[in-house]
Structures are given as structure tokens and as C-alpha cells.
Amino acid sequence: MKTVIFWLALLVVTLWGALALRVQFAQIWPLITLAAAVALVVWARLGPGYGWWGLGLLALGLLGWFFSLTPRQDRDWAADVEHIVRGRIEGDLVHLENIRAFRWRDADHAAEAWTSRTIDLRQITGADMITSVWDNPDIAHLLVSFRFAEGDPLTFSVEIRREKGEKFSVLGGFFRQFELALIAADERDIVQWRAVPRGEEVRLYPLQLRPDQLAEVFLQYVALGNQLNEAPRWYNTALSNCTTVVWQLSKVLSRDLPLSPSLLLSGRLPEYLDGFGVLAGEGSLSDKRAAALISERARAWPESGSFSAWIRQDGKLGKQEVTEGL
């Protein structure tokens, strides 16, 4: 039995190490070094009988190297994640910097602009959860957009912070390839980009929140942006992504929000929130999903007037004002 456990443990350590090294290094030599180390462990097991010692040293070496990797602020970032939103709070006023206002020509190219804005927390009238699906309907990117009595909505999006030329990788997200970014943007940038040039299926769900909840969730986003500007953090595909961060911030709604498979299958988060009465609107969840779909409307936008007003033009979305919430 011990022999079976040893070989299974060696297999797991070897596969984990190979994946981690493959993500972190473009060269082949780290994998060759790992193969040589594994061969020594096999020899120690079959020869002198020190296989467990060898396996332990191999595992400690890999883990020590992996956890020595530290997130950074000074990489050559892709243009759309070059800046992370930061805010300065003065009473009910929040002065925000690094708000993205790109105007996308296609999925990869845009007229770039970063702006500033002052938000009066007393002017927040509502919030919407936006989901964007590009392939598997069980996996969605999540955004939260705040509406105001005056001025355009402002959207927050937790994303990977890619370097120039990098592409998203689920595997890389498990092995410290990307830092975490919080982007604040206007909807004509971040929602239009996903619905039109990227061709994703985008839904907008109005939320039922009290004024104090709206302000607290907004301030939680500002705090997260400030934290990431001060101390970078790794993105993790399972543990620190757009869904888990939204869940952590949403605990202001109810301190005992339970863990759920929806935190991994983010496309199911509307069902999770609907169970707590957070999604506004009438009818079943299927009715709310149908009413929330804005992709086609976004693609039909005539590129004049307010994009945010256009995607809410049927009178069913975004009209809910502050309610009693939870």
C-alpha cells in the first residue's frame, strides 16, 4: 500500500510541477531539470531506499519556488489594464482616478482614454449585475454597474492584469501567471466592447438594494482598487476571480452568504442571487434572464445619444430605484 501511495504522490508532484514550470517559463530547461530531479527520486526509491526523503525534498523545492513568486506593479501592461482605479473619499464624495473610457474600433484596438470623476454617494439610485458569456453558458464574466441621479453609470470589473501580448489562460490563472486588476469604466467602453466587437452574450440584471447597501458595495470596490494599487495580488482561476471577489463584496448584503458552486460556475450566479431576493423584476428566473438580455440591443445602437440609456430603453431594465433590499 505504501508503495502505491509513493508512486501516486510522485506522479501528482511531477504533474503539478511540470504545469507550474510550463506556465512560468517559455524555455525547456526547467522541465529538463524537473525530469532529472524526478529520475533521482526514482533512483533513491529503487536503489538506496530513500525515496520518501527524495520526494519530500522535490515537493519542498517546487513549493518553495512557487510561493516565492510575488505579484508586481511594474510590468509592461496591456493598454486596457494599464491602470487600476483608485479613489479618495471626502464625506459623501468619492474622487476617482483611472476610469477607462476607451472607444473600441474592434475587439483588440481602441481610441484610448483614462478619465477622472467625482461621485456623490447620495446620488446612487441603483446597481445592475452584468454577465457576459463568450462560450460555455455556465461560465460568465461578471461586472457591477452603478446608476446615478445625474451622470452616466459607472461599471466595475475584476479582471486579469495581462502583460502586452499575453492572452487569458485558465491554466495560467492557477499558476500565478496574472495579477488581479480592478477596472472602472463607462458602459460605452466595457459593456459595448463585450457585446459588439467581442460578440459575447451580455445580460443586465437590476438589483434590489437599500441606499446603505449601494453605498457600502460601491465603497468596497473603491477600497479594493486602492488596495491593489498599494499591494498587487495574484489572480486565481478558482479562488480570486471576478465571481469570488463579487461574492466577497456582496457579503454586505448578508454577512452569512453561503459558499456555492455558482462561485466556480459563474454563469449560475443570477440563480444564486435570485434565491436571496436580490434580482429585481417580475416572474420566474427564466423571465428575468430573458428580460436581461441586451446583446442585440447593444449591437443595434446607432452610435449617437447615450449608450446606457439605449440598452435600457424598453423600460424594463435599470428603472428600479432604491428599494428595501435584504
Side-chain angles (χ1 to χ4, degrees):
M1 185 62 180
K2 290 183 179 179
T3 300
V4 173
I5 293 174
F6 173 84
W7 293 113
L8 285 176
L10 179 60
L11 177 62
V12 170
V13 170
T14 302
L15 289 177
W16 185 90
L19 290 173
L21 291 170
R22 179 66 184 87
V23 166
Q24 292 295 329
F25 297 99
Q27 305 90 340
I28 194 66
W29 65 262
L31 292 177
I32 295 175
T33 303
L34 174 63
V38 171
L40 284 174
V41 173
V42 172
W43 171 81
R45 173 70 181 183
L46 298 178
Y50 296 110
W52 283 107
W53 283 99
L55 177 58
L57 289 173
L58 176 62
L60 286 174
L62 286 170
L63 289 173
W65 159 74
F66 182 74
F67 286 107
S68 72
L69 300 173
T70 56
R72 292 168 50 183
Q73 298 277 32
D74 59 348
R75 304 186 196 275
D76 189 13
W77 304 115
D80 58 309
V81 290
E82 184 176 1
H83 302 293
I84 293 174
V85 64
R86 69 166 73 236
R88 177 170 52 86
I89 302 170
E90 293 182 346
D92 290 319
L93 300 180
V94 182
H95 306 284
L96 297 177
E97 299 176 357
N98 300 335
I99 297 173
R100 204 178 74 192
F102 284 19
R103 299 297 175 251
W104 294 90
R105 295 188 293 271
D106 55 46
D108 300 308
H109 303 91
E112 300 173 14
W114 296 89
T115 65
S116 300
R117 182 173 175 181
T118 296
I119 300 296
D120 188 336
L121 296 174
R122 296 165 297 185
Q123 293 293 307
I124 302 176
T125 60
D128 305 305
M129 181 182 73
I130 300 171
T131 65
S132 187
V133 174
W134 56 93
D135 185 16
N136 185 338
D138 283 334
I139 304 298
H141 184 73
L142 300 177
L143 310 91
V144 174
S145 196
F146 290 86
R147 290 176 269 115
F148 307 94
E150 297 181 2
D152 292 331
L154 181 68
T155 305
F156 290 99
S157 176
V158 174
E159 304 193 3
I160 63 168
R161 201 174 191 190
R162 309 176 329 280
E163 296 178 68
K164 288 181 179 177
E166 272 190 327
K167 299 293 184 181
F168 174 70
S169 163
V170 173
L171 180 63
F174 280 110
F175 291 101
R176 298 191 168 188
Q177 183 177 358
F178 309 109
E179 280 82 1
L180 192 69
L182 178 65
I183 300 300
D186 60 36
E187 291 182 337
R188 183 179 170 186
D189 171 343
I190 202 163
V191 178
Q192 194 265 358
W193 176 51
R194 288 185 170 274
V196 185
R198 289 172 60 110
E200 298 178 6
E201 183 181 84
V202 180
R203 284 180 163 82
L204 186 152
Y205 297 90
L207 304 175
Q208 298 189 107
L209 303 175
R210 299 190 308 266
D212 61 306
Q213 293 173 328
L214 287 166
E216 189 170 355
V217 173
F218 188 92
L219 290 174
Q220 291 270 359
Y221 272 110
V222 175
L224 175 61
N226 288 341
Q227 291 166 12
L228 293 177
N229 274 291
E230 294 300 321
R233 187 186 308 177
W234 290 117
Y235 173 92
N236 184 279
T237 299
L239 302 177
S240 185
N241 55 50
C242 65
T243 311
T244 58
V245 171
V246 168
W247 173 75
Q248 291 165 358
L249 296 175
S250 297
K251 287 179 76 68
V252 302
L253 311 179
S254 175
R255 300 299 177 184
D256 58 352
L257 281 177
L259 292 170
S260 165
S262 300
L263 301 179
L264 295 177
L265 300 176
S266 49
R268 300 182 185 179
L269 194 63
E271 181 178 1
Y272 174 78
L273 294 178
D274 195 48
F276 292 94
V278 176
L279 296 190
E282 300 178 353
S284 65
L285 179 61
S286 295
D287 295 329
K288 294 175 182 178
R289 284 187 184 274
L293 186 62
I294 62 168
S295 304
E296 293 303 322
R297 199 175 314 141
R299 292 164 196 152
W301 180 53
E303 298 193 19
S304 62
S306 168
F307 174 79
S308 295
W310 176 270
I311 61 176
R312 295 172 172 86
Q313 68 180 344
D314 67 352
K316 296 179 182 179
L317 295 173
K319 295 296 185 180
Q320 289 82 359
E321 296 301 317
V322 176
T323 69
E324 288 302 313
L326 291 177

